[in-house]
Amino acid sequence: MLATGGTIAYDAGGGLVNRNVEVADDKAGFVVSYDLNPQKATLLTQLLIGNGVTAPAQVQQALDNGY
């Protein structure tokens, strides 16, 4: 679980998911996977959490650079 007790949500419709469009993601502590599919986003997030990376900003940075 992320440091803020965050929830992971997926866009099952596919396509690009941008940050801070409809919701203030930064303020809420949400992370966005952009165009990673749910499987890749989940795997990367699990690897990060397993290695002690739980701060939303650090998780977002990894997702920004992860593909």
Side-chain angles (χ1 to χ4, degrees):
M1 195 167 253
L2 299 178
T4 59
T7 302
I8 299 173
Y10 303 113
D11 178 17
L16 184 67
V17 178
N18 280 321
R19 292 184 53 72
N20 301 310
V21 176
E22 294 180 11
V23 176
D25 296 313
D26 294 330
K27 183 177 179 183
F30 297 152
V31 297
V32 175
S33 64
Y34 298 105
D35 63 349
L36 289 179
N37 65 37
Q39 295 81 11
K40 290 179 182 178
T42 299
L43 180 61
L44 180 55
T45 303
Q46 289 173 337
L47 287 169
L48 291 166
I49 292 170
N51 284 292
V53 178
T54 59
Q58 291 177 313
V59 173
Q60 185 62 60
Q61 183 179 12
L63 289 169
D64 291 346
N65 300 322
Y67 59 98

